[in-house]
Amino acid sequence: MSTLFAICTTYEVEDGGARAFVLQRREPEGGAKPWPILVTRKGNNFYGFENVCPHEGVRLDKQLGEVMDDEGNFLKCSQHGAMFDLDSGQCFAGPCQGKALTAIELVIDDGDICLSDIDLDEEDGLDIDDPSDTVPEVHITSD
Ligand code: FES
């Protein structure tokens, strides 16, 4: 049986929107390190990505920025403006055009957006610097 980790509820991510979280992931060699992720939504479909721009490896929200375009159609890196599809994470414009965000499988369970079988630490990692200062509280539960 898979272990599910609830990130947030589905209604906490607006249609055409994205939310950033910083989890704490265990390393195979021991210890744990912050793991920034994004959850996006298109209609009733939800998509997860590592919050790491394929251009320079920084968080898309590194520069105090909004990671969505004004109309909520795509993700935008605040560093140099690369644009990514909300559902595929594919970069269609900008300095890393043709590359893609690393996808994370999400499971929707009874209204919760969950990660499955990811080795997370008990600490949620929310104590690291967050330029947008909008990282929500993360609740981790397991089935
Ligand atoms: S770091 Fe994201 S576009 Fe350059």
Side-chain angles (χ1 to χ4, degrees):
M1 183 172 157
S2 299
T3 303
L4 297 180
F5 299 91
I7 306 168
C8 65
T9 60
T10 54
Y11 66 80
E12 292 178 283
V13 183
E14 290 179 22
D15 190 9
R19 291 197 68 172
F21 302 88
V22 181
L23 307 177
Q24 191 83 356
R25 191 172 188 179
R26 281 201 195 100
E27 296 290 293
E29 61 277 358
K33 71 178 193 183
W35 189 46
I37 67 168
L38 292 165
V39 175
T40 65
R41 178 176 184 172
K42 249 187 174 181
N44 284 327
N45 296 313
F46 296 85
Y47 307 91
F49 302 101
E50 292 190 352
N51 188 357
V52 179
C53 182
H55 180 219
E56 290 190 344
V58 299
R59 287 171 57 169
L60 271 63
D61 54 350
K62 181 173 191 278
Q63 305 288 333
L64 284 180
E66 179 57 51
V67 294
M68 297 295 303
D69 74 306
D70 292 340
E71 282 84 41
N73 294 321
F74 53 84
L75 290 166
K76 188 168 87 181
C77 180
S78 62
Q79 188 79 340
H80 306 111
M83 299 175 205
F84 303 87
D85 287 328
L86 278 185
D87 51 357
S88 67
Q90 191 72 34
C91 178
F92 60 89
C96 49
Q97 186 170 355
K99 295 185 178 175
L101 300 171
T102 301
I104 301 167
E105 185 181 353
L106 300 177
V107 176
I108 307 302
D109 180 55
D110 197 23
D112 287 331
I113 301 171
C114 304
L115 298 171
S116 176
D117 289 332
I118 302 283
D119 197 8
L120 297 175
D121 200 47
E122 289 300 314
E123 299 292 329
D124 61 20
L126 296 176
D127 57 339
I128 70 165
D129 286 347
D130 182 349
S132 66
D133 205 26
T134 58
V135 174
E137 184 178 356
V138 175
H139 300 280
I140 299 175
T141 61
S142 61
D143 285 340

